[in-house]
Amino acid sequence: MLSSTGYMRISVLPIISFFRGLPALRRAISTTWTFKDEKIQVKPGKTAVLITGCDSGLGYSFARHCQDYYGLIVIACCLNPTGEGASRLMKDYPKGIHVIKLDLLCHQSLDDMKSEVAELAKTNGYEIHAVVNNSGVMTMGEFEWLTHEQIFEMVSVNLIGAMNVTKNILPYLRETRGRVVNISSHCSLASMPGLSVYGATKSALEAWSTALRIELEKFQVDVVTVIPGSYVTESLILKGVKSSSEKMWDSMSDASKMTHEGNFRRFYDYLEAIPVPKLGYIHDDALFERFDSALLSTRPKRQYVHGPLRYRLYFFLFTISPTVRIKEYLIKRFVNLPGF
């Protein structure tokens, strides 16, 4: 509207009304999100979840958490069913947690797992609500140092293993309209030196999860990924650093040893100095809040990301970096490993 002077006159009333309405808008959004995070109705002693990699770390903690807080029946897959983690789960939860052996590198073990799950479900009337693909292998080192076997193991466990387990459990999930929860990594969001193959497997896991989510939508089966942050010092994932580095060194040619010896020694001296923790429960309320939503929310998000402030800051900077060179500089600062 033009004023008598010929200039356009703008009323500030709509603007004031907009800002006055923001609190109500925030309340509406808050109410919506609260509604979306309602949990499914768990049937104690009947609703079951299958979790892989329960020998230690996240898997061990997730298994205990599901029993302690929700009374979920847990089918805990362990590589070593007579090891400390599996033994403690069976001792502390003789009725609520079933430990079964699972070696993701062995097809026979996958077939045996499928048969055991079928028997447990049939005998006890369990309704399998979810599979949590948590198993993971992380062998750190520059790509040229890694042996063929180490590369094969990471791809086979972190990616193909999750696919094989999910394929075996999908018939139950269609029946219960359950979900697949894939434990991913910050390495899927930004490629890290020293973790190139591990990061590639997690990026592929994210890509597979997206396609699988679309495929299973017609069956009302959700597919969710969880990026939990770093728990290297609270799990046994670095337990085999010394033996892994020895295998790498032994597989190198004399020329490669001459080229990489300095960086190689500094890199693994640094890793071997990291203390390997004892088996224990991970205490992180914020992590379990996200895990609970991924597992039990009636309307789960597609991805849940958790991590300390340092992680959030750096990954924000990665996304706004104006050039690739700046982003790669920030990645090296974030990784903070010898040689980079």
Side-chain angles (χ1 to χ4, degrees), residues 46-340:
K46 289 295 180 182
T47 305
V49 296
L50 183 143
I51 306 174
T52 66
C54 292
D55 297 85
S56 66
L58 288 171
Y60 175 82
S61 298
F62 287 156
R64 299 185 71 98
H65 178 79
C66 287
Q67 254 291 293
D68 289 341
Y69 286 85
Y70 297 102
L72 288 163
I73 296 297
V74 179
I75 302 172
C77 299
C78 296
L79 179 62
N80 183 3
T82 60
E84 183 183 3
S87 298
R88 194 177 296 182
L89 290 176
M90 289 188 289
K91 178 183 177 182
D92 294 346
Y93 307 93
K95 295 182 179 180
I97 295 182
H98 300 277
V99 171
I100 62 176
K101 178 178 174 58
L102 178 60
D103 181 353
L104 292 174
L105 297 175
C106 175
H107 290 294
Q108 184 59 53
S109 183
L110 284 159
D111 290 341
D112 292 343
M113 179 273 288
K114 183 179 180 180
S115 299
E116 288 188 62
V117 170
E119 182 63 27
L120 284 170
K122 180 180 179 181
T123 303
N124 301 285
Y126 294 154
E127 299 174 4
I128 300 179
H129 164 69
V131 56
V132 181
N133 288 306
N134 168 75
S135 287
V137 175
M138 183 177 73
T139 303
M140 297 181 69
E142 293 187 25
F143 177 74
E144 192 176 355
W145 304 347
L146 299 174
T147 68
H148 293 292
E149 291 75 18
Q150 289 166 338
I151 294 170
F152 176 82
E153 183 182 33
M154 280 189 277
V155 174
S156 298
V157 172
N158 300 354
L159 178 61
I160 299 174
M163 292 177 173
N164 286 334
V165 170
T166 301
K167 192 172 180 65
N168 284 347
I169 304 301
L170 268 180
Y172 302 102
L173 302 183
R174 284 200 305 273
E175 184 178 334
T176 62
R177 295 178 180 176
R179 70 193 52 175
V180 178
V181 179
N182 289 326
I183 306 302
S184 185
S185 166
H186 280 85
C187 291
S188 69
L189 303 178
S191 301
M192 303 290 170
L195 290 162
S196 60
V197 175
Y198 177 79
T201 65
K202 293 300 184 179
S203 295
L205 186 71
E206 289 281 353
W208 170 63
S209 298
T210 298
L212 185 65
R213 181 183 304 115
I214 297 169
E215 292 176 359
L216 297 180
E217 186 178 15
K218 56 182 172 288
F219 301 114
Q220 298 182 50
V221 174
D222 293 307
V223 179
V224 183
T225 61
V226 177
I227 296 177
S230 177
Y231 293 92
V232 168
T233 58
E234 297 178 83
S235 70
L236 303 181
I237 200 164
L238 288 181
K239 187 177 181 180
V241 165
K242 186 173 179 61
S243 61
S244 294
S245 63
E246 289 173 350
K247 290 176 182 176
M248 291 182 206
W249 186 253
D250 291 341
S251 71
M252 286 186 188
S253 65
D254 291 339
S256 291
K257 288 178 179 178
M258 289 181 63
T259 301
H260 295 288
E261 183 172 11
N263 282 338
F264 186 90
R265 297 302 181 195
R266 284 192 296 272
F267 189 90
Y268 284 101
D269 285 346
Y270 173 85
L271 291 183
E272 288 176 19
I274 299 174
V276 177
K278 294 181 179 180
L279 178 71
Y281 181 84
I282 293 173
H283 296 278
D284 189 333
D285 292 341
L287 167 66
F288 286 111
E289 182 179 337
R290 288 165 176 79
F291 174 72
D292 291 349
S293 292
L295 186 67
L296 298 173
S297 175
T298 56
R299 290 177 173 83
K301 298 178 184 179
R302 289 168 173 78
Q303 184 183 76
Y304 292 84
V305 181
H306 175 64
L309 178 60
R310 179 177 181 272
Y311 276 53
R312 297 197 297 272
L313 174 61
Y314 267 102
F315 278 86
F316 171 71
L317 293 175
F318 296 161
T319 60
I320 64 171
S321 295
T323 67
V324 173
R325 188 178 296 276
I326 292 175
K327 181 178 179 179
E328 290 178 351
Y329 168 77
L330 290 169
I331 287 174
K332 287 190 284 187
R333 290 292 302 272
F334 173 74
V335 171
N336 195 30
L337 287 170
F340 307 113

